[in-house]
Amino acid sequence: MPKEMNTDQANLDQHLKMQAEQQQIKQNMKHIKHKILVLSGKGGVGKSSIAVNLAVWLSMQGKKVGLLDVDIHGPSVPKLLNLEDRKLQAGGDKIAPIEYSDTLKVISVGFILNNENDALIWRGPMKHNVIKQFVCDVSWGQLDYLIVDCPPGTGDEPLSIVQLLEDPDGAVIVTTPQQLAVTDVRKCVTFCGKLNLPILGIVENMSGFVCPNCNHKTNIFGGDGGKQLADEFETPFLGSIPIDSNMVGSADTGKPFINFNNQSPTAQALNHAFEPLLRSNENNIINNKEQDKMKIAIPLTNGKLSQHFGHCEQFAILDVDLGSKSITNQESLTPPAHEPGVLPKWLADLNVNIIIAGGMGQRAQQLFNQNRIDVVVGAPSEQPEKLVLAYINDTLVAGENICDH
Ligand code: ADP
């Protein structure tokens, strides 16, 4: 076989593999309302402590929460939650997360390592694959929040996770008040900017000291450095968390600080910092996506899905409620004349989030994606209700994309 044909085939295989993976990620992430990454420029600033306390606090507010610890070289979440003896079980083709409580599911690299040093010998692609599996293959189910404890720094591993997560809400940056932290925060801010990842806010940890006897707080570093830093970078400032010896004790015993010390000034500072991530009024700093509701479009010919997207007579537009997994409204609309770019815009104006199609060319798919519409291809010629119910119940079997023009 000529060399170019081999390369073409390899490129095509690679492209199809990536497309299938992307589809799988979308499928697995579609019932997660909000995804928040916790980042820091360097290790040891309390990033994992903040991630764990945020996840526990959200679950204490009645939210369904997932905590994903991809801090490959220092997975501390199992220790912080006293889950160190737990190992992951595979059930079918999915990985079941560890249930810390009814409302908090946890996955950590720590659950798959035999000893702490195992991950040190992992090479880049292996790390990426582990992170990908945690996003693709974990049965997270319906979640209000997925909190991701990222590896420190702004290297390949945090990059992998940002790229793999579909449309995260943004990042919380954790820092400490030392001089050096300015450089670290700058790195994180640049990293988020390059990836179009919104910054939800900066948390200044280990700022000031709370006396274990009288609860009095002393500002060791003085002033409002964290706030000034956030102002400088034009990002929200979530708050300062004092050094508290009970926080170290909590980490050692695996009892989440916020759960067991909720009257202390440090717990109050954490409450105050986390509040804006939950609030659902117009001041909410996270996008209040109505992901319980979804609008799905299906191209139709003779009342069934049209395999030839470019020639369909009508579109079925179905409103679905993901909570009750039901169709709440259905109508058929005649599309405008088919010209490149017209349909994506028309469907975006109708607030459609997903299009289920038989065959569709790459270019058309890109145009839909640019209009924030996800595309499912390779669906069979069935009635729209049947396809939508299969889609929301994760039983839609998509075959080949037969019409690539
Ligand atoms: P990172 O994830 O940034 O490496 P960790 O969350 O593992 O950092 O925290 C490092 C150490 O600092 C842990 O022993 C933790 O208990 C401690 N720590 C974190 N925040 C505080 C705080 N506000 N007061 C006291 N100790 C803290």
Side-chain angles (χ1 to χ4, degrees):
M1 201 187 283
K3 197 167 168 231
E4 309 86 77
M5 274 180 78
N6 264 335
T7 321
D8 282 354
Q9 187 58 45
N11 284 344
L12 182 65
D13 288 350
Q14 179 67 13
H15 176 75
L16 290 175
K17 191 171 160 229
M18 277 171 62
Q19 224 184 4
E21 276 170 9
Q22 210 61 41
Q23 199 65 41
Q24 225 177 322
I25 292 173
K26 258 189 197 135
Q27 191 74 4
N28 210 34
M29 294 278 107
K30 78 175 185 217
H31 299 307
I32 301 180
K33 285 189 198 163
H34 298 294
K35 293 162 220 149
I36 298 179
L37 296 114
V38 184
L39 298 177
S40 67
K42 60 171 187 225
V45 298
K47 171 184 55 61
S48 297
S49 307
I50 297 295
V52 164
N53 279 290
L54 171 60
V56 171
W57 182 82
L58 286 166
S59 77
M60 286 161 68
Q61 313 305 308
K63 301 292 171 192
K64 290 196 186 112
V65 185
L67 175 59
L68 172 57
D69 171 19
V70 285
D71 190 346
I72 302 228
H73 295 301
S76 39
V77 166
K79 183 164 174 20
L80 291 168
L81 290 175
N82 196 18
L83 297 171
E84 278 174 298
D85 55 345
R86 306 292 289 272
K87 288 278 171 259
L88 294 180
Q89 313 285 335
D93 55 355
K94 289 278 177 199
I95 303 166
I98 303 289
E99 304 217 348
Y100 175 77
S101 69
D102 284 352
T103 50
L104 179 56
K105 296 176 179 175
V106 186
I107 283 283
S108 166
V109 182
F111 296 144
I112 57 170
L113 299 176
N114 288 326
N115 71 65
E116 276 177 18
N117 298 325
D118 273 8
L120 292 177
I121 55 162
W122 288 0
R123 300 173 72 93
M126 198 164 162
K127 293 180 200 166
H128 180 81
N129 282 338
V130 169
I131 297 177
K132 190 167 70 195
Q133 270 209 304
F134 285 168
V135 176
C136 258
D137 299 334
V138 170
S139 47
W140 289 110
Q142 303 245 358
L143 292 181
D144 295 306
Y145 289 86
L146 179 68
I147 305 300
V148 185
D149 183 11
C150 291
T154 49
D156 288 346
E157 296 140 37
L159 182 69
S160 284
I161 186 77
V162 178
Q163 288 173 336
L164 284 166
L165 285 179
E166 282 284 310
D167 193 20
D169 291 84
V172 170
I173 299 175
V174 183
T175 185
T176 51
Q178 285 93 2
Q179 276 298 305
L180 256 183
V182 182
T183 328
D184 288 324
V185 171
R186 192 183 306 276
K187 271 199 252 163
C188 287
V189 171
T190 310
F191 174 81
C192 293
K194 277 192 187 146
L195 297 172
N196 271 337
L197 179 68
I199 298 172
L200 303 175
I202 294 180
V203 174
E204 183 186 35
N205 188 29
M206 307 194 196
S207 138
F209 173 71
V210 171
C211 170
N213 301 318
C214 65
N215 267 355
H216 177 74
K217 187 184 161 195
T218 315
N219 276 330
I220 306 172
F221 298 98
D224 54 357
K227 169 89 178 71
Q228 279 176 20
L229 202 61
D231 288 347
E232 187 188 328
F233 293 114
E234 295 180 347
T235 61
F237 180 61
L238 294 174
S240 304
I241 316 300
I243 295 175
D244 189 322
S245 57
N246 287 323
M247 197 106 152
V248 184
S250 293
D252 290 342
T253 52
K255 292 182 173 169
F257 177 84
I258 198 135
N259 211 352
F260 292 90
N261 299 272
N262 55 9
Q263 294 311 314
S264 69
T266 306
Q268 280 164 20
L270 286 167
N271 269 310
H272 181 74
F274 297 156
E275 261 278 304
L277 301 168
L278 177 71
R279 249 183 288 153
S280 56
N281 57 30
E282 65 273 21
N283 296 326
N284 193 359
I285 56 174
I286 65 172
N287 211 349
N288 197 18
K289 287 182 276 179
E290 283 281 335
Q291 287 197 350
D292 275 352
K293 313 250 183 299
M294 197 182 258
K295 223 181 236 295
I296 302 182
I298 298 182
L300 295 181
T301 300
N302 295 330
K304 290 192 171 172
L305 179 141
S306 165
Q307 285 300 333
H308 293 278
F309 168 78
H311 309 287
C312 72
E313 299 155 1
Q314 288 215 302
F315 271 85
I317 311 285
L318 296 97
D319 289 293
V320 296
D321 182 273
L322 289 175
S324 59
K325 296 203 169 177
S326 60
I327 297 170
T328 53
N329 191 37
Q330 179 171 356
E331 55 185 340
S332 289
L333 298 178
T334 306
H338 292 204
E339 301 217 0
V342 170
L343 282 181
K345 167 111 187 35
W346 178 65
L347 290 173
D349 287 346
L350 290 169
N351 294 322
V352 165
N353 315 101
I354 292 188
I355 172 159
I356 300 180
M360 191 190 295
Q362 284 301 321
R363 179 72 194 124
Q365 289 191 39
Q366 274 170 7
L367 287 172
F368 278 111
N369 293 157
Q370 281 163 11
N371 281 277
R372 301 186 78 84
I373 297 176
D374 290 338
V375 183
V376 178
V377 287
S381 293
E382 291 283 358
Q383 285 166 337
E385 311 84 287
K386 195 167 165 189
L387 292 170
V388 165
L389 288 175
Y391 177 73
I392 57 183
N393 285 295
D394 287 342
T395 55
L396 180 67
V397 180
E400 249 178 284
N401 182 6
I402 55 153
C403 169
D404 198 28
H405 64 263

